[in-house]
Amino acid sequence: LQPNLTDLSRLEEELRRVLVESPHCLQSIQPADAFDVACSTAAELISDYEDKLKVDLSAGMERAQTTTQAIDYIERLKAVEHRSLLQGTILEARVAVLDIYDSELRKLQSFYEREKAKPSLPRGMPPVIGHIVWVRHLVQRLEPPMAYFRKHLDVMRLAEAGPTT
């Protein structure tokens, strides 16, 4: 689950080149001077960069097979999540992760209901302790995504509100 780094690296290099070519641009600001050109070029590059991040986020979310993988992918964008153009995309991705998690919870619940009378226990372990270990293992599978969604209550509120269309 790696983002497309070649496009992002190219955009980063272009942005650095633009900023390095006009290091003293703040000394004399005239209309339509090099500073204006550098700023507009930088803004375009940043916009392209954000667009690439959106595409990579969507692709990464499609490749994620579990809630934990999807959360890890979203967390990689933590440094840029404050960008206004990315906030909506990241929030949508978090809502999609909540849907994935809901599906995983339903599967885990049916697994629990099916296996609770006679779960697979480690060899040589007393039955009561084996049952406790088995349940703790199930709980450990649930906890990391729960902690993530506790930190991001906006996702929970948005999911409770339902679709806005």
Side-chain angles (χ1 to χ4, degrees), residues 1 59-67 69-71 73 100:
L1 297 176
M61 293 297 294
E62 288 175 12
R63 288 190 309 265
Q65 296 178 357
T66 65
T67 302
Q69 287 177 341
I71 289 171
Y73 200 81
I100 294 169

Side-chain angles (χ1 to χ4, degrees), residues 1 3 7 18 22 47 144 149:
L1 297 176
D7 290 338
V18 166
S22 56
S47 177
F149 290 118

Side-chain angles (χ1 to χ4, degrees), residues 23-147:
H24 304 290
C25 56
L26 293 176
Q27 291 177 354
S28 62
I29 297 176
Q30 300 295 326
D33 67 358
F35 177 75
D36 291 339
V37 173
C39 281
S40 65
T41 304
E44 289 173 19
L45 289 171
I46 290 169
S47 177
D48 289 348
Y49 196 77
E50 288 174 340
D51 290 342
K52 295 284 185 197
L53 285 173
K54 286 180 185 180
V55 169
D56 285 342
L57 177 61
S58 297
M61 293 297 294
E62 288 175 12
R63 288 190 309 265
Q65 296 178 357
T66 65
T67 302
T68 306
Q69 287 177 341
I71 289 171
D72 289 343
Y73 200 81
I74 292 171
E75 285 298 299
R76 290 181 181 177
L77 298 176
K78 192 173 196 94
V80 293
E81 72 181 346
H82 67 281
R83 303 284 307 170
S84 61
L85 293 176
L86 293 174
Q87 286 177 346
T89 305
I90 291 174
L91 186 59
E92 289 172 11
R94 286 181 177 141
V95 170
V97 170
L98 184 61
D99 291 340
I100 294 169
Y101 185 56
D102 182 55
S103 170
E104 286 181 11
L105 283 175
R106 291 179 194 284
K107 289 177 187 173
L108 195 60
Q109 181 181 12
S110 84
F111 173 76
Y112 172 79
E113 293 297 330
R114 194 175 55 248
E115 300 289 324
K116 70 180 177 184
K118 193 157 172 85
S120 303
L121 303 177
R123 182 175 276 198
M125 189 173 283
V128 173
I129 293 175
H131 281 82
I132 292 171
V133 169
W134 181 73
V135 169
R136 281 188 178 171
H137 174 72
L138 295 179
V139 169
Q140 286 174 347
R141 290 172 53 184
L142 298 173
E143 285 179 342
M146 280 185 185

